[in-house]
Amino acid sequence: MITMSVPRFWRKQVARYNLIGTHCTNCKTYYYPPRNMCPKCRRDGKLENFKFSGKGEILTYTVIHTAAEGFEKQTPYVLGIVKLEEGPSLTSQIVADPEDMKIGMKVRPVFRKLGESSEKGMIYYGTKFVPE
Amino acid sequence: MSAGIVSYGAYVPRYRIKVDEIARVWGDDANSLKSGLMVHEKSVPDFDEDTATIAVEAARYAVKRSGINAQRIGAVYTGSESHPYAVKPTSTIVAEAVEATPVMTAADYEFACKAGTAAIQTCMGLVQSGMIDLGLAIGADVAQGAPGDALEYTAAAGGVAFIIGSKETEFLAVIEDTYSFTTDTPDFWRREGMPYPEHGGRFTGEPGYFKHVTHAAKGLMAKMGTKPGDYDYAVFHQPNGKFPSRAASILGFTKEQIKPGLVVPKLGNTYSGSCMMGIAATLDQAKPGDRIFATAFGSGAGGDAFSFTVTDKIEEIRNKAPTVMELLADPIYVDYATYAKHKGKIRLA
């Protein structure tokens, strides 16, 4: 079960569907999730929306055996930190057999259900990663 | 102005269950089912896959294969009998995920197994009238069969997306014509709020499938003045392997003509994706100049027939997205318990 409110999820929906973050054209840094201000350049920063290719590699991962509410049916499943080829890292569920996981393995994005608020509530969609 | 297929994309989940495994649980004779249905295994969605995620993956492959700017898409129609929401369109999720929003129209379709081809026909009308530049027509399903029901042996998961346009230089196949045959026939239905469909058993055969498929197919050939021998390939809705094989034989098409598109033995019935999956698998190996005849069937009931001619463009873009055979390769087999868990057949407290 995801307890996030519907408007809160919806505000970041496009970023979740299509891995859209930001790029500071001043210091050339890429950010995901998107930033409103470049933390390095502050007021000198020039941010533009940037769509990440989604290609990346596993920096590290963990296998979840005792899941949060709503994810019990999926255990054991993998949560990983994916380093995107443009630079930023993000945490995501990795759709793979835990036995096959390796640090440094290449991954690509897929569109999946991230969760739902309840049987009668919203279904939340977004990006997960699978081995390349 | 003519209409044509500008691109196509298919998606099949990685998991499969064998007919033998389902038969083991219900005490049925697997060999007689496999030879009767001509289906050996079927696709099973992952825990986090549904009609929307399958439709998105197929649509993204269609956009990728052609390299078109998705902002040119003026309409998205998703046909399915397993939309994740009763009220809230699947098509808006797809449109946002392929970045076709916001200046466009969208709606969801339902017509049992032929809602996807109904979406193709709608897009043909919109592009030919000049109302839109490109249309995205999708057939996708995570089909449901009640535990122990005959449908459980074939109800599968998968989807196909076609991008329909009117600029001839962009066509990978020209849609020469289409013809539909529709009546009110209660061969299969699912009431609001019910988890599994009901069907009329053998009633789904002659008065349902065969009547509508043969009338639509004969109607189109009569309208166009063509005959089975004019076509290199043929595709018929494939709820199992037996029905399309028999329909082809009744109409005068050969086994060789239907072979490339007959993907049901290793996939199962992807419902709204079924006939479109056969067309996609045929396009995967068709040569420029080849003609393809296709007829979809949807219970309730209707048949949509199409005639296509493949263009030179196919060779240029075919390999820019996975083929149906590539999607069917390397499956992960699951047992009945895992399948039941994936499909939500076991309800947790």
Side-chain angles (χ1 to χ4, degrees), chain B residues 41 54 71 74 102 106 138 147 210 239 251 263 278 290 306-307 311 336-337 343:
Chain B
E41 58 196 61
I54 288 170
Q71 283 288 310
I138 303 167
F210 292 104
L251 290 162
V263 290
D290 282 351
F306 297 87
S307 177
T311 75
Y336 191 90
K343 290 287 292 170

Side-chain angles (χ1 to χ4, degrees), chain B residues 85-96:
Chain B
Y85 290 98
V87 179
K88 200 217 160 291
T90 305
S91 298
T92 55
I93 300 168
V94 177
E96 197 85 83

